[in-house]
Amino acid sequence: MEETLGQQPSPTIAEKKTPARDALLAGMAIGLLSALLMLLAATFARERLGGVLAATDHAGGRGVVDLRSLRREVTRLQSEVTWMRRRLERLTPVDPYLIVNTSDNKIYLIKGKKLLREGLCSSGSYVLLKAANDQQWVFQTPRGRFRVLAKQEAPVWRMPDWAFIEEGLPVPPPNATERFEYGVLGEYALAFGNGYLIHGTLYKRLMGMPVTHGCVRLDDEDLRAVYHNLQIGSKIFIY
Amino acid sequence: MKIALPRDRKARFVFWITAGLPPLAILVLNVLLPMWRDPLAEFAIVAAADFSPKVYDVDGTAATAGNAAKASTAMQQLLLKKNALEFEQAYLLSRLDMATSDSIGLGVDLTDSVATLEIRGVPVRRCKITRFTVPGGLQRREAVYWLSTPFELREAAASLPKAPIRVRKAPSDTIEAKEKAEPDIPIEKRDVYFILHFDKNLSLAVAQTQPTSAIGWLHRVGYLLERGWLPVAEDLSALAHLKRPTARVHMRLEMSREDAKAIYRALPTHANLALRL
């Protein structure tokens, strides 16, 4: 490289670029950090303000109204709303029905708009039972609308496989005598599908707690009222 | 600590551009643009086909609906009544639609301050709303169209688990075995805060009326982070696809802890919501 006497040596290319490169890196780091903070702040800013500034009544100047036609329109709307309200009311059963609240473990026996009985129950424990052979069961009370499919007095419990696995006992054949247990389901049972029952219990101190394998356990008095009021086909609402 | 800015003019320029541009872009794209976007407009157009607005005859002296203040008192009252009826009709339409589905739905009536869990149109639990916040500018015709079909749940974040599942290994630690030794019944006293993100750009946050407990703050912080992350992920995805982030209508309800818990636990993954403003 040729150098001229009396002149300062010119900086190399790398030296020339250093301040700009450092500034670029520092700027990018700060920029990304502040962008991230801005994104988080944006979420909350938009929750408070989002879309509201843009709100305009596009229909405001669309139509021109006169009093007579407006009255007609209000009357029409009124009758439509009344019809819809009635239609919705008709969806509520006239016959007695049962509401099971699995969140607070309560039941409500209702007829029309009248509350016949309110009481405690026990619903699914939400236990996930894992057996050694990779089998597993979740003891959860199903939610939704159901119907009473069968009613039984002095029911006998036919123990499913998990009842034996849970106890560490060998699983007997399907109709083996050791599968049938007497007197543990109380005086009555009402079946509402997939093997789920509403029945009584020996564990009365656990009423109001989530302890069952998915069935709904009731106190003797409540069970009697439910059994005598609900017929085959009556609705059960579980949430 | 002192931060020294580069002396070189070009370097300074580069620094300010790289440091300032990303947050500025986020500010414009994620805050300013969505704020000027009407979250209801796109649904008004879609819904207009089956819920068409009525255009009234001109009688020469009639006033426009937008200029209701100038119209006669009778006209004003009628317009207000019509508006209220339209909102109620939209709510009832939505509930009737919801009643055709087997799953549990939620009806939120802000006029009566009641939230109702419904199964096939049958109200199974009524929850009193003690306080609510709704953004302004929703009392307009577009909102009627927007509300006339149920909202569908897309995502949710909460301070409590959806199902309080406990794992037991058979046969060593089963319920019955435990019961014999000592009762192991969990009594859940968790604080309840949750947010539900629905389609049609609606977000509904629910908070318990009771003050947050000391341990509840831990769950609440976790929930707030999750809640904050959902829209950030949505925004980032929109930015990655060079789309404008969605504007959302955010509503906040307050009710008792028990009611809030019952609602959150009862709603299925794609629950429907009917809303009355």
Side-chain angles (χ1 to χ4, degrees):
Chain A
M1 203 170 109
E2 213 174 290
E3 270 188 30
T4 316
L5 281 170
Q7 281 186 345
Q8 288 288 323
S10 63
T12 61
I13 293 165
E15 278 172 333
K16 262 186 188 174
K17 283 198 170 173
T18 300
R21 198 181 59 189
D22 287 350
L24 181 75
L25 287 174
M28 274 171 69
I30 292 170
L32 284 175
L33 193 70
S34 44
L36 195 69
L37 288 173
M38 185 63 78
L39 257 179
L40 284 171
T43 305
F44 293 99
R46 279 164 50 183
E47 276 191 25
R48 297 278 179 268
L49 303 163
V52 180
L53 293 178
T56 46
D57 193 346
H58 299 301
R62 190 180 291 163
V64 181
V65 292
D66 71 273
L67 201 58
R68 205 172 49 189
S69 51
L70 188 59
R71 273 206 192 104
R72 261 205 313 269
E73 182 64 11
V74 167
T75 314
R76 184 191 64 81
L77 275 170
Q78 188 93 62
S79 62
E80 274 183 21
V81 163
T82 312
W83 177 78
M84 281 178 187
R85 273 196 214 133
R86 280 195 196 133
R87 224 180 117 188
L88 266 169
E89 275 170 18
R90 276 204 296 270
L91 294 173
T92 302
V94 182
D95 300 325
Y97 62 98
L98 185 73
I99 294 177
V100 180
N101 166 3
T102 63
S103 182
D104 302 326
N105 284 287
K106 282 184 178 172
I107 57 134
Y108 304 90
L109 182 63
I110 300 169
K111 185 181 180 183
K113 285 181 179 173
K114 195 180 164 195
L115 179 70
L116 299 178
R117 198 170 182 95
E118 183 182 345
L120 292 176
C121 70
S122 289
S123 62
S125 62
Y126 282 100
V127 163
L128 170 69
L129 180 69
K130 285 186 172 177
N133 54 356
D134 283 345
Q135 276 187 297
Q136 57 179 44
W137 296 267
V138 180
F139 300 134
Q140 187 179 351
T141 304
R143 290 185 174 133
R145 188 190 69 167
F146 304 90
R147 283 178 189 274
V148 176
L149 301 177
K151 288 173 75 175
Q152 203 182 350
E153 285 186 29
V156 178
W157 186 33
R158 188 190 164 279
M159 292 163 78
D161 289 357
W162 51 253
F164 295 93
I165 293 167
E166 196 177 35
E167 300 285 339
L169 300 169
V171 179
N175 289 318
T177 48
E178 53 265 50
R179 277 198 183 258
F180 298 94
E181 203 163 343
Y182 297 84
V184 290
L185 299 181
E187 287 178 69
Y188 308 103
L190 298 96
F192 60 93
N194 290 327
Y196 292 102
L197 301 172
I198 296 172
H199 59 77
T201 181
L202 301 174
Y203 302 102
K204 294 201 171 54
R205 68 191 173 89
L206 300 176
M207 293 308 296
M209 294 181 187
V211 291
T212 77
H213 295 95
C215 287
V216 179
R217 291 181 193 168
L218 302 184
D219 206 342
D220 292 344
E221 290 293 307
D222 292 333
L223 182 64
R224 218 163 285 148
V226 167
Y227 185 81
H228 292 301
N229 277 286
L230 296 191
Q231 305 306 318
I232 305 267
S234 292
K235 287 172 184 165
I236 301 166
F237 299 93
I238 306 178
Y239 72 92
Chain B
M1 197 180 82
K2 197 179 170 186
I3 299 167
L5 284 174
R7 284 184 186 173
D8 183 36
R9 271 183 77 181
K10 191 179 157 193
R12 270 186 185 215
F13 179 75
V14 168
F15 173 80
W16 283 118
I17 288 292
T18 47
L21 214 56
L24 192 70
I26 299 290
L27 181 73
V28 172
L29 291 167
N30 290 53
V31 183
L32 298 178
L33 286 179
M35 269 165 58
W36 260 272
R37 189 177 189 182
D38 187 351
L40 271 58
E42 52 188 296
F43 306 104
I45 297 158
V46 176
D50 55 345
F51 205 98
S52 57
K54 302 284 175 289
V55 179
Y56 299 95
D57 299 329
V58 185
D59 71 347
T61 55
T64 63
N67 292 331
K70 292 175 189 166
S72 67
T73 320
M75 180 83 88
Q76 276 185 49
Q77 282 173 348
L78 276 174
L79 281 171
L80 284 173
K81 195 173 177 183
K82 181 174 163 281
N83 195 43
L85 281 168
E86 279 179 338
F87 275 94
E88 190 177 353
Q89 189 188 35
Y91 178 58
L92 294 172
L93 264 173
S94 202
R95 280 181 64 198
L96 281 167
D97 195 333
M98 213 160 72
T100 58
S101 148
D102 270 332
S103 68
I104 303 172
L106 178 67
V108 174
D109 185 344
L110 297 179
T111 310
D112 292 341
S113 301
V114 175
T116 314
L117 276 174
E118 292 183 350
I119 305 174
R120 283 237 162 216
V122 179
V124 291
R125 187 181 182 121
R126 287 182 203 278
C127 313
K128 178 90 190 126
I129 299 168
T130 50
R131 207 171 149 191
F132 64 86
T133 38
V134 179
L138 284 178
Q139 292 284 343
R140 55 200 166 107
R141 192 176 280 275
E142 273 76 8
V144 175
Y145 308 139
W146 184 61
L147 297 167
S148 61
T149 52
F151 296 87
E152 194 186 299
L153 183 62
R154 290 288 156 87
E155 272 182 298
S159 63
L160 75 167
K162 188 78 179 162
I165 287 183
R166 292 171 292 142
V167 179
R168 293 269 186 273
K169 280 184 185 167
S172 58
D173 51 357
T174 60
I175 312 171
E176 301 299 330
K178 279 267 179 185
E179 262 177 25
K180 281 170 194 162
E182 55 175 287
D184 174 29
I185 316 301
I187 297 166
E188 223 184 2
K189 290 267 180 191
R190 278 180 88 145
D191 290 323
V192 187
Y193 298 90
F194 63 89
I195 189 161
L196 307 171
H197 294 289
F198 292 91
D199 64 348
K200 299 196 281 176
N201 300 341
L202 175 72
S203 292
L204 188 73
V206 178
Q208 64 179 36
T209 318
Q210 291 93 331
T212 313
S213 62
I215 190 95
W217 275 106
L218 275 175
H219 298 132
R220 202 175 171 186
V221 168
Y223 154 68
L224 285 173
L225 286 173
E226 194 185 348
R227 177 184 165 168
W229 173 247
L230 286 175
V232 169
E234 209 176 60
D235 286 353
L236 286 174
S237 162
L239 286 176
H241 293 91
L242 297 175
K243 283 182 186 166
R244 197 161 132 185
T246 321
R248 281 191 163 270
V249 175
H250 286 272
M251 295 186 182
R252 187 174 188 276
L253 312 180
E254 272 182 37
M255 59 181 72
S256 76
R257 180 192 292 138
E258 294 71 30
D259 285 342
K261 189 178 93 177
I263 287 176
Y264 180 66
R265 290 268 163 89
L267 291 179
T269 326
H270 296 289
N272 284 333
L273 167 85
L275 182 64
R276 183 183 178 191
L277 295 175

